[in-house]
Amino acid sequence: MLLKEYRICMPLTVDEYKIGQLYMISKHSHEQSDRGEGVEVVQNEPFEDPHHGNGQFTEKRVYLNSKLPSWARAVVPKIFYVTEKAWNYYPYTITEYTCSFLPKFSIHIETKYEDNKGSNDSIFDNEAKDLEREVCFIDIACDEIPERYYKESEDPKHFKSEKTGRGQLREGWRDSHQPIMCSYKLVTVKFEVWGLQTRVEQFVHKVVRDILLIGHRQAFAWVDEWYDMTMDEVREFERATQEATNKKIGVFPPAISISGIALLPSSVRSAPSSAPSTPLSTDAPEFLSIPKDRPRKKSAPETLTLPDPEKKNTLNLPGVHSSEKPCRPKSE
């Protein structure tokens, strides 16, 4: 298990970001989806928790085979997805990721939002007070992102909002900018497979960090698109975008209906389930299947007839001549 805490500051208020994060997630998912790969929305509906109150539950399938490194693609089936389940009780959210093919893999993310510059060192005292973890600050303006994801229009150093007047952030902006808020994310990655655990957990944290950086940059860069939206309007945008995204993927209808599955309260969901999600097919992955038409090799005959000890020279041994026919295995 590898635990890290990420702190991402934004030139927004917590109330503003309630709309912004919903808009960003929907638009980002749609942009990253293409036929056969991307984010399929399986379920999105209101949910009430006895402790956290009213919220929203979503379940998604993230198809990402082509985005895996070569060493990972070598051991996963062609149809490979990660199941995302999220409980949004803003300004507190829980997100869990499990894998249809790797039941010992999981990611658990708890997020809290506060109007400060990432200065609350005790925000997760109830969840992880005694757990050792690295605290990582992510700067949406100055941290480098993978080149393939860079867009100048989404660069906070260049972008300036017409509706809010915020933007063109410079180094050290977090020390003086108003308003400012922080997304605190406690991320636990587990991959309990001997020999691969450290490598995989470190790789997943690198991917998580890149996603957090890109997503928060986009949420700010798209502020003029969502800033005037009401909650009803952003929910309608979310619904329409999810429908369009599912059509864009187009080839993976849900294998089962999950609308009737009861959701456990957060008091019971203390950790991600280790059980795999229902796969799309009951067939084994191609590389684990046994070819049906391959003849079975035999290292020895199934039956053997031994010679009669009373008879001599019945075996056709080298240098020994016999008029008798040698013993042969019985035909099958």
Side-chain angles (χ1 to χ4, degrees):
M1 181 183 81
L2 185 56
L3 177 67
K4 292 188 179 184
E5 180 184 327
Y6 296 92
R7 301 181 187 181
I8 313 102
C9 290
M10 301 276 284
L12 302 167
T13 67
V14 171
D15 286 341
E16 290 170 343
Y17 193 57
K18 184 175 185 178
I19 300 292
Q21 55 117 6
L22 295 175
Y23 183 93
M24 177 271 292
I25 291 170
S26 293
K27 183 175 178 178
H28 178 86
S29 297
H30 185 71
E31 286 190 348
Q32 295 300 310
S33 298
D34 201 353
R35 184 168 180 81
E37 289 206 353
V39 181
E40 174 197 5
V41 181
V42 180
Q43 188 174 354
N44 186 3
E45 60 185 32
F47 178 71
E48 185 175 353
D49 181 88
H51 178 66
H52 299 295
N54 294 328
Q56 192 82 5
F57 170 76
T58 59
E59 179 174 349
K60 302 175 183 178
R61 287 178 178 175
V62 185
Y63 299 90
L64 39 59
N65 191 282
S66 69
K67 296 178 175 61
L68 296 174
S70 57
W71 57 266
R73 288 199 300 270
V75 296
V76 301
K78 292 180 179 178
I79 300 177
F80 170 80
Y81 63 88
V82 171
T83 298
E84 175 193 292
K85 294 183 180 180
W87 293 263
N88 188 343
Y89 310 105
Y90 196 88
Y92 173 67
T93 67
I94 304 168
T95 309
E96 297 177 353
Y97 296 89
T98 53
C99 180
S100 58
F101 182 71
L102 301 170
K104 293 183 180 295
F105 168 79
S106 66
I107 306 173
H108 182 82
I109 303 175
E110 293 188 56
T111 304
K112 295 183 178 182
Y113 303 96
E114 287 190 349
D115 285 315
N116 57 51
K117 57 183 180 180
S119 53
N120 188 349
D121 293 329
S122 59
I123 191 167
F124 289 114
D125 273 3
N126 291 335
E127 293 79 12
K129 183 176 182 179
D130 299 323
L131 296 179
E132 182 178 348
R133 62 186 182 274
E134 179 184 357
V135 176
C136 306
F137 285 85
I138 297 178
D139 189 331
I140 65 170
C142 300
D143 286 359
E144 293 186 1
I145 68 170
E147 185 177 351
R148 64 184 181 277
Y149 296 122
Y150 178 81
K151 294 181 181 178
E152 185 173 344
S153 62
E154 297 175 358
D155 188 337
K157 293 192 299 294
H158 301 292
F159 168 77
K160 185 168 184 177
S161 167
E162 295 181 359
K163 293 185 178 180
T164 67
R166 305 169 202 167
Q168 296 180 333
L169 305 177
R170 296 291 179 257
E171 188 171 354
W173 68 273
R174 292 177 296 178
D175 296 328
S176 58
H177 195 283
Q178 289 297 328
I180 191 169
M181 60 156 288
C182 184
S183 300
Y184 294 83
K185 293 184 176 285
L186 189 66
V187 182
T188 305
V189 176
K190 291 182 181 180
F191 185 69
E192 297 171 345
V193 176
W194 186 86
L196 290 174
Q197 181 171 2
T198 300
R199 182 180 184 181
V200 171
E201 290 178 351
Q202 290 176 345
F203 169 77
V204 171
H205 266 288
K206 180 182 182 302
V207 172
V208 168
R209 187 190 182 282
D210 286 346
I211 291 173
L212 293 177
L213 175 58
I214 294 166
H216 285 76
R217 283 166 64 103
Q218 289 177 331
F220 175 57
W222 296 337
V223 63
D224 288 346
E225 300 174 27
W226 57 260
Y227 190 74
D228 295 327
M229 282 185 168
T230 65
M231 180 56 69
D232 288 341
E233 288 171 340
V234 78
R235 286 297 183 195
E236 176 57 26
F237 171 83
E238 189 179 44
R239 185 201 62 77
T241 305
Q242 289 169 357
E243 183 177 328
T245 302
N246 284 0
K247 289 180 179 178
K248 195 175 181 182
I249 297 175
V251 294
F252 298 113
I256 59 171
S257 172
I258 64 168
S259 59
I261 297 178
L263 302 176
L264 295 177
S266 60
S267 58
V268 179
R269 294 189 318 272
S270 57
S273 171
S274 61
S277 303
T278 304
L280 293 173
S281 169
T282 56
D283 297 334
E286 181 180 343
F287 70 94
L288 292 179
S289 301
I290 300 175
K292 297 179 180 179
D293 55 350
R294 187 176 69 186
R296 183 167 60 90
K297 292 182 180 181
K298 297 179 180 179
S299 58
E302 294 183 359
T303 59
L304 182 66
T305 303
L306 297 176
D308 187 342
E310 299 296 328
K311 295 183 180 181
K312 296 181 180 180
N313 296 333
T314 57
L315 296 177
N316 191 15
L317 300 174
V320 179
H321 299 281
S322 172
S323 59
E324 299 286 342
K325 293 182 177 181
C327 297
R328 297 180 184 274
K330 289 184 180 181
S331 59
E332 297 181 38

